[in-house]
Amino acid sequence: MKLKATLAALCAVASFSAFAQAPIVIKFSHVVATDTPKGQAAERFKQLAEKATNGRVKVELYPNSQLYKDKEELEALQLGAVQMLAPSLAKFGPLGVKEFEAFDLPYIFPSKTALYNVTEGPIGKGLLKKLESKGITGLAYWDNGFKVMSANKPLRTTADFKGLKMRIQSSKVLDAQMRTLGANPQVLAFSEVYQALQTGVVDGTENPPSNMYTQKMHEVQKHVTVSNHGYLGYAVIVNKKFWDGLPADIRTALETAMRDATTFEKAIAQRDNDLAMEAIKKAGKTEIYNLSAKEQAEWRKALLPVQKDMEGRIGKDLIQAINKEAAK
Ligand code: LMR
């Protein structure tokens, strides 16, 4: 009897120490290349998190849609098949949090400073809170940049978009934006864009230069217009149940790692986009066009009504609050 009890106690200790030694695994899935602002920041987070927790946490990165595509990754997060993602703010609509689509409104952020006023202030925090009811905790906003437009024909005036099939993310604001330009928007997963452009399934698209270059879209797009008409950023999110279940000291260490990775991400986003634009130019396959101030004003005038049209979906108060913050 005594032997049995001793054995049972030994087994308990052994399994406890095996359990204690097994690292907590964070599967972090994303859709872009490693050498993008998001890809590099994910790597930085992994390094910082593993160091700060002395290896008690292991972060496994799955870039470039290798594990899941846009829609699937959000489902996988809710099911707990992955623990961390950083989807673009244009992809939260299907989850039922359509307010994030405010970030897609054309010309809503006149500068990165205006954007940070929103993401780092009460509006940004309030939006992340809305994810809680979906079983998701929002940890940070990561930046990419302002978007360019591309196609196989020059896009100088808004009339040039008429009839073009343009790939968009799942956001209804982006749908409205393209329709306002007279184009036919088509939602496609990010991983499908290169092939869709190559085979003519769509004629053009929009993205910051870092995404365009790292997916080689410039090889299948003859024209790029530097329009900066809209913004692309991310929310770093985790499965709430997983996050809440972490030991408190681990969670604190991970929060610090995320803060530092976020500072790093913001510092490299613009530079990466500038370098990508240079690389696209250098590759020589795409003609780059910079809108003149007059053309920019015309694009703005054509696209500003999208803000009003989307009030019903996003909320007039939220749009007004963002505009007020952006104007500071
Ligand atoms: C896209 O789908 O165009 C982008 O949102 C991809 C990304 O995550 O940057």
Side-chain angles (χ1 to χ4, degrees):
M1 199 58 203
K2 209 169 161 212
L3 182 69
K4 238 182 165 178
T6 313
L7 274 177
L10 277 175
C11 284
V13 169
S15 66
F16 175 76
S17 67
F19 175 75
Q21 276 161 18
I24 298 165
V25 175
I26 298 181
K27 290 189 178 171
F28 186 164
S29 167
H30 68 81
V31 300
V32 296
T34 300
D35 53 347
T36 53
K38 175 161 63 179
Q40 292 173 73
E43 294 208 315
R44 178 63 69 105
F45 172 72
K46 172 183 166 67
Q47 282 163 13
L48 293 169
E50 291 179 354
K51 188 153 177 258
T53 59
N54 288 319
R56 278 168 72 202
V57 169
K58 189 167 178 288
V59 181
E60 291 177 2
L61 298 177
Y62 298 95
N64 240 333
S65 311
Q66 64 179 239
L67 205 53
Y68 297 108
K69 297 200 274 187
D70 299 327
K71 198 163 164 286
E72 290 90 331
E73 70 172 17
L74 279 158
E75 286 159 9
L77 184 83
Q78 286 184 298
L79 291 171
V82 293
Q83 288 70 40
M84 191 174 277
L85 309 173
S88 128
L89 302 168
K91 292 177 184 168
F92 286 84
L95 202 69
V97 196
K98 43 194 193 308
E99 290 87 345
F100 280 95
E101 292 178 4
F103 287 94
D104 303 325
L105 288 166
Y107 298 103
I108 193 145
F109 300 111
S111 65
K112 282 278 174 86
T113 312
L115 167 82
Y116 294 149
N117 284 345
V118 172
T119 52
E120 308 308 321
I123 299 176
K125 291 196 173 78
L127 286 171
L128 292 182
K129 270 259 164 290
K130 286 188 186 291
L131 296 168
E132 304 263 317
S133 66
K134 310 289 171 195
I136 291 173
T137 300
L139 296 182
Y141 287 96
W142 283 0
D143 196 10
N144 197 332
F146 293 101
K147 294 176 286 188
V148 300
M149 290 280 199
S150 70
N152 280 321
K153 61 174 275 200
L155 302 169
R156 307 243 160 121
T157 71
T158 51
D160 295 328
F161 285 84
K162 199 164 172 47
L164 289 185
K165 282 178 281 172
M166 297 294 284
R167 179 268 170 175
I168 55 163
Q169 305 176 75
S170 60
S171 160
K172 291 282 184 269
V173 168
L174 298 179
D175 184 280
Q177 169 196 274
M178 291 303 184
R179 288 186 197 282
T180 301
L181 291 171
N184 300 318
Q186 192 160 330
V187 177
L188 286 176
F190 187 62
S191 57
E192 291 162 4
V193 181
Y194 176 86
Q195 212 191 354
L197 290 169
Q198 189 186 36
T199 55
V201 167
V202 289
D203 302 307
T205 190
E206 57 166 9
N207 239 307
S210 57
N211 273 346
M212 185 159 278
Y213 182 67
T214 52
Q215 296 297 322
K216 300 187 169 38
M217 292 179 203
H218 63 290
E219 293 184 358
V220 287
Q221 293 279 266
K222 292 196 178 72
H223 295 270
V224 166
T225 295
V226 183
S227 46
N228 296 324
H229 60 282
Y231 174 72
L232 180 73
Y234 311 105
V236 187
I237 55 176
V238 279
N239 178 293
K240 183 173 176 339
K241 203 162 150 213
F242 166 79
W243 193 249
D244 291 346
L246 289 173
D249 62 325
I250 294 277
R251 201 169 41 241
T252 305
L254 293 178
E255 277 164 1
T256 306
M258 183 51 69
R259 232 183 350 262
D260 293 348
T262 300
T263 305
F264 166 79
E265 205 275 344
K266 283 183 181 156
I268 63 166
Q270 190 58 50
R271 186 204 61 192
D272 268 24
N273 277 300
D274 293 345
L275 289 174
M277 202 65 228
E278 280 307 309
I280 292 173
K281 257 184 221 160
K282 222 166 150 194
K285 297 202 160 122
T286 321
E287 195 173 306
I288 319 267
Y289 185 71
N290 289 291
L291 292 180
S292 68
K294 187 165 168 277
E295 287 163 335
Q296 185 71 259
E298 279 160 11
W299 278 51
R300 202 183 147 79
K301 191 166 164 234
L303 285 170
L304 269 186
V306 176
Q307 291 198 12
K308 189 122 201 74
D309 296 346
M310 287 289 113
E311 279 177 357
R313 179 167 173 85
I314 291 167
K316 194 175 175 179
D317 291 352
L318 178 59
I319 297 176
Q320 272 178 355
I322 293 178
N323 274 322
K324 201 168 147 209
E325 213 45 56
K328 276 185 186 167

